[in-house]
Amino acid sequence: MTRHPQTRPVQTVRDTLARHAMCRPGDHLLVALSGGPDSMALLHILHLLAPGLDLTLSVAHLNHGIRGEAADRDQAFSRQAAEDLGLPFVTQTMDVPALARQSGTGLEEAARDARRAFLREAALSCGARRIAVGHHKGDMAEQVLMNLLRGSGLKGLGAMDPVTSDGIIRPLMELSRNEITGWLSHRGIGHVTDASNSDTAYTRNRIRHRLIPMLEAEFNPSAVDTLARTASLLRDEEAWLRDLTESLFNDCTVSREDGHLELSASKLRGLHPAARNRVLRRSAAALCGSTRTLSAAHIQRLTELLDRGQPGHYADLSRGLRGIFTQGALHLTTETGNLRHTRPQLLSGVPAFSYEVPRPAPGESCTVHIAETGDRLTIGWAQAPDELATSRNACRVYVAPGSADFPLTIRNPRPGDRFRPQGGSGGRKLGRFFSDCGLEASLRSRVPLVFSKNTLIWVAGYRLDEAATPPSPGAPALEMVFHPYKKG
């Protein structure tokens, strides 16, 4: 049975509220009222339904401070509409153009952000659980086209969600603009007209007044219905893929803490590219709260880190987010400290290592295999050569037995390590020494250091410390030999 055109809007809104679980008995709804036809229809339809659904209504209006007297008129009109229905009214006036200048954003974006912030605060002040806005089927179609022209995935092509995580509901989403204005006209309900809605300088207005009429005239008379229906289908698919992405994200996550996330490189590489991109975006959202400023180019940079597979390489993304590849893992971090100090193993791709060397028996030696780098160090007793070569960049050095207090420790650099290069001009931070040697930061954590108790005596392959006393020519000495790992 076909519903009468003048009863259909009310019943459609009732069905929409129930189908999408937009509210429940006893709820308090805040109605966002601009004074235009959409919001006026929303207000009056919800007012008719409120007693039967056990709903409490309040009304909110924001004057953006953009249209001068016209904006003041809309504000006064909205106040009177709420008073006529006996509903509480909350309003505020903002200087949105000034906010746009301060933030460096466009006027439309600044107005949208200001409206969202105002509505959230108004809902909190009156105790409303949901905020009802007047977006309808035409708005859905316009949003699909806007996002399509900008470039978008399924989420953007799904246009607007019926219910959002921050409590926005869209009860008119299944009604057309003509159905809404026809219902208002039949009931004699007035509204105001925003002249800026006809200004084709705005992209949305050009889509509304030029593109959609052209599509209806030349391609599909039901273009708005088709676009809105397509958006609904894509929202359903997006919801299904979101659940699937969550499962894949959990499977790929190795560890998670505040400001830092570690993902398995092998599991990410095993995903279909589309699934991998979704997991990377979900990972960024886990750290940043949203992916609003994360572009497809950012995701591509993370994918390139995985493809190159070079430990220590990183990519700076958006909102302080950084991706770092290590051996077997992709790390995402928003930590603001210097990673060379807070997480040096990430930039090097080599985890922290430490080995102990016991005192070798007379005439023998001990060899330490460093699993993290593939390098080897051999330490044993020998006779010092008649002429000692400089330890600069040497892989074989000799020190007097008294310079070594066993067990020796072999480990990689840590923040705060200091060094007194043999033959140098005094002590300095080890990082400064590496800089002077021209050793790039990504390779520094590979370098083995030899310690006698807590004293650094050799930066293997670079220099002995002043604490390492040279042996007398031909005398017994401790011989230390560095065997760097060579691929192939």
Side-chain angles (χ1 to χ4, degrees), residues 62-66 93-102 107 110 114:
L62 178 63
N63 183 336
H64 296 86
I66 296 176
T93 300
M94 291 186 180
D95 188 349
V96 169
L99 293 175
R101 290 191 296 271
Q102 292 169 9
L107 192 61

Side-chain angles (χ1 to χ4, degrees), residues 40 194 380 445 465:
M40 286 298 290
D194 183 349
S445 287
D465 187 270

Side-chain angles (χ1 to χ4, degrees), residues 89-134:
F89 182 71
V90 182
T91 188
Q92 185 176 348
T93 300
M94 291 186 180
D95 188 349
V96 169
L99 293 175
R101 290 191 296 271
Q102 292 169 9
S103 63
T105 59
L107 192 61
E108 287 181 279
E109 183 177 354
R112 182 174 60 249
D113 291 343
R115 184 165 54 251
R116 285 175 177 169
F118 162 70
L119 290 174
R120 282 196 297 267
E121 292 177 6
L124 286 172
S125 68
C126 68
R129 192 176 74 92
R130 300 288 201 193
I131 302 169
V133 297

Side-chain angles (χ1 to χ4, degrees), residues 283-362:
S283 302
L287 293 178
C288 301
S290 77
T291 57
R292 185 174 176 183
T293 61
L294 194 72
S295 68
H298 293 140
I299 297 298
Q300 180 61 30
R301 293 183 68 186
L302 290 176
T303 301
E304 289 170 356
L305 285 180
L306 278 170
D307 291 342
R308 285 198 300 265
Q310 295 178 309
H313 282 223
Y314 62 89
D316 288 320
L317 308 173
S318 69
R319 302 179 67 179
L321 181 66
R322 172 180 284 186
I324 308 163
F325 184 80
T326 64
Q327 193 67 41
L330 179 68
H331 296 254
L332 295 179
T333 183
T334 55
E335 294 176 347
T336 56
N338 189 329
L339 290 176
R340 292 181 182 177
H341 300 304
T342 59
R343 295 181 185 268
Q345 74 278 11
L346 295 188
L347 295 183
S348 68
V350 176
F353 62 79
S354 180
Y355 297 86
E356 278 198 354
V357 182
R359 177 182 291 274

Side-chain angles (χ1 to χ4, degrees), residues 382-403:
Q383 186 177 15
D386 291 338
E387 293 187 11
L388 285 176
T390 176
S391 69
R392 185 188 298 270
N393 301 326
C395 287
R396 183 186 300 269
V397 296
Y398 297 88
V399 299
S403 296

